[in-house]
Amino acid sequence: MIPPELRRPATLAALGVFTALLSVSLALHERQQAARAYRAAAQTQAQAQAELARLPQRVADLRAAGHWQQDPAARAFLSGGDRLAWLTALAQTQAQLRLERFGWRLQAPQAGPLPGLSATAMQVDLLPLDAEGLHTWLARLERAGAGPFTVQSCDWSAGERPQRMHCRLLWWGWQGPGAS
């Protein structure tokens, strides 16, 4: 039994310990969620860098095989890009995922890392979308076959409700010698 004069301090101490443990537990949970989101973003970035590294070989293979004449996506790539196809693919993915809000801003093409290679940046805002939904959205966008693209960055507003994703895509095109 606790003496009456120590009951209040003991209760306050127990409450303080409980509050501290709860705070530590919540902080660890938030840290784990942030680590998962970071790993997903790092994986997406690594995939984008790998695609960028394979891009020159893809161009050479397409040109050597002559498939660009039959494949609309390859034709769009070799001619510098088909913006209408990009926007159509974006609209289709928006409808498939039932996104409430979808905004995009397309920038002028810029010279790529290799002579003849161009990159057109596109800012995309998707709402609501979480990290798992981003992978689904990117897979569907790639399946739409509007042309080669890479993800330069994605920022996820995890704290906001509903969750929003802001991404910067690079659509690649070839405007080198022999491009139609």
Side-chain angles (χ1 to χ4, degrees):
M1 180 148 199
I2 300 175
E5 61 273 1
L6 294 179
R7 285 184 186 156
R8 182 179 171 121
T11 302
L12 290 175
L15 186 59
V17 168
F18 176 75
T19 303
L21 289 174
L22 182 63
S23 296
V24 168
S25 174
L26 288 173
L28 288 174
H29 178 71
E30 289 296 320
R31 183 177 183 272
Q32 288 174 344
Q33 282 186 326
R36 276 194 293 270
Y38 176 80
R39 284 192 300 274
Q43 181 183 11
T44 301
Q45 180 185 14
Q47 289 171 346
Q49 287 175 337
E51 283 293 317
L52 179 60
R54 287 191 297 263
L55 201 53
Q57 186 59 44
R58 269 177 77 185
V59 171
D61 292 346
L62 284 172
R63 293 189 71 200
H67 291 296
W68 64 273
Q69 295 173 346
Q70 294 85 19
D71 184 8
R75 262 199 322 271
F77 176 72
L78 291 173
S79 67
D82 183 354
R83 292 173 182 226
L84 183 58
W86 300 343
L87 299 178
T88 302
L90 290 171
Q92 288 171 348
T93 58
Q94 176 192 10
Q96 291 169 352
L97 294 177
R98 294 186 174 99
L99 299 174
E100 293 173 16
R101 228 178 45 204
F102 178 78
W104 56 270
R105 192 177 82 228
L106 201 56
Q107 297 174 347
Q110 301 291 320
L114 300 172
L117 190 63
S118 66
T120 302
M122 177 185 280
Q123 304 288 338
V124 181
D125 283 305
L126 308 159
L127 179 82
L129 196 66
D130 58 11
E132 288 179 24
L134 175 64
H135 291 291
T136 303
W137 180 74
L138 289 172
R140 289 184 181 192
L141 187 59
E142 182 149 347
R143 274 193 303 250
F149 70 93
T150 54
V151 179
Q152 189 174 33
S153 65
C154 277
D155 296 320
W156 178 41
S157 60
E160 294 179 18
R161 295 288 179 215
Q163 295 174 340
R164 178 186 66 83
M165 191 70 69
H166 176 78
C167 293
R168 180 178 166 91
L169 305 179
L170 292 178
W171 292 91
W172 296 96
W174 181 258
Q175 298 174 339
S180 59

